[in-house]
Amino acid sequence: MKQRVTIEDKTFELSISEKEILEAVDRCAKAISADYADKTPIFVIVLNGAFMFGSDLVKRVNIPCQIAFTKISSYEGTSTTCVIKEQLPVTEDIRGRHIIIVEDIVDTGYSMAYLKERLESFKPASVEICTLSFKPEKCRVPDLNIKYVGMQLPEAFIVGYGLDYNSQGRNLKDIYSLI
């Protein structure tokens, strides 16, 4: 495992190992499996960042489920624009279904608030959020109510395990913080 990686003009230091990541994924999968034991939820995986987390998560749940994808964006480089762009809407019929949004990271919360409200407009039975990582100090949406959180992180820009810097670094199996 590398202690440091360089992506373009930035250097990142190892922050969370693959082992710690997969333990967080397991915790989320167990909680979801218990909560949805008698349901068949639709996991709405947010592209591109949550593809690795979503894949590992759905392999670990032990309940029937379906998978859908959406793509929204609000980042340029290492900072948010606070303008959410929906690039790929959910096309499945979610009316009356239990929805679990699967996200890689929640920091300001604006993207998740937007997506949750958007999905709720289609009248599902429920909409919950499952995120691998959450930055509570940075969240600006007080009533977001994230039900499943793999790990809480301090303020730092991170890459790896699906997270990127200028579309690079997603393939790293560990998570690295900008130094």
Side-chain angles (χ1 to χ4, degrees):
M1 134 179 27
K2 295 180 184 178
Q3 294 302 308
R4 287 193 175 177
V5 296
T6 299
I7 301 172
E8 292 186 359
D9 60 335
K10 306 276 187 234
T11 301
F12 299 84
E13 188 169 68
L14 180 65
S15 147
I16 304 165
S17 71
E18 178 183 31
K19 180 179 184 278
E20 293 171 285
I21 294 166
L22 295 178
E23 288 170 354
V25 175
D26 283 338
R27 284 191 301 274
C28 290
K30 286 177 184 169
I32 290 168
S33 294
D35 290 349
Y36 291 84
D38 60 341
K39 299 170 180 68
T40 303
I42 299 175
F43 289 92
V44 175
I45 299 171
V46 181
L47 300 174
N48 287 336
F51 78 99
M52 289 178 87
F53 175 48
S55 173
D56 285 341
L57 180 69
V58 299
K59 286 186 280 187
R60 286 168 167 77
V61 295
N62 59 13
I63 55 171
C65 64
Q66 291 177 275
I67 301 168
F69 297 95
T70 189
K71 185 173 183 180
I72 58 176
S73 64
S74 67
Y75 265 80
E76 288 180 9
T78 61
S79 51
T80 183
T81 63
C82 293
V83 176
I84 290 94
K85 298 174 190 166
E86 185 174 21
Q87 298 165 315
L88 175 68
V90 173
T91 57
E92 285 76 2
D93 182 7
I94 63 171
R95 184 179 308 275
R97 300 295 304 277
H98 295 280
I99 307 302
I100 302 169
I101 300 170
V102 179
E103 180 64 304
D104 54 357
I105 186 166
V106 175
D107 46 30
T108 65
Y110 295 137
S111 294
M112 283 301 92
Y114 167 86
L115 185 56
K116 187 173 184 182
E117 183 177 314
R118 175 97 170 102
L119 294 176
E120 286 172 342
S121 74
F122 294 104
K123 308 289 187 231
S126 66
V127 178
E128 298 294 349
I129 298 169
C130 176
T131 185
L132 173 64
S133 51
F134 177 51
K135 295 181 179 179
E137 297 86 26
K138 197 169 179 185
C139 189
R140 303 295 177 251
V141 182
D143 59 346
L144 191 54
N145 298 321
I146 303 170
K147 188 163 186 178
Y148 308 101
V149 176
M151 60 185 82
Q152 290 192 2
L153 301 175
E155 177 54 35
F157 186 82
I158 58 176
V159 299
Y161 195 72
L163 297 150
D164 73 300
Y165 170 60
N166 287 343
S167 297
Q168 295 182 48
R170 293 185 195 279
N171 60 315
L172 298 168
K173 63 182 180 172
D174 305 298
I175 292 177
Y176 296 79
S177 298
L178 181 63
I179 55 172

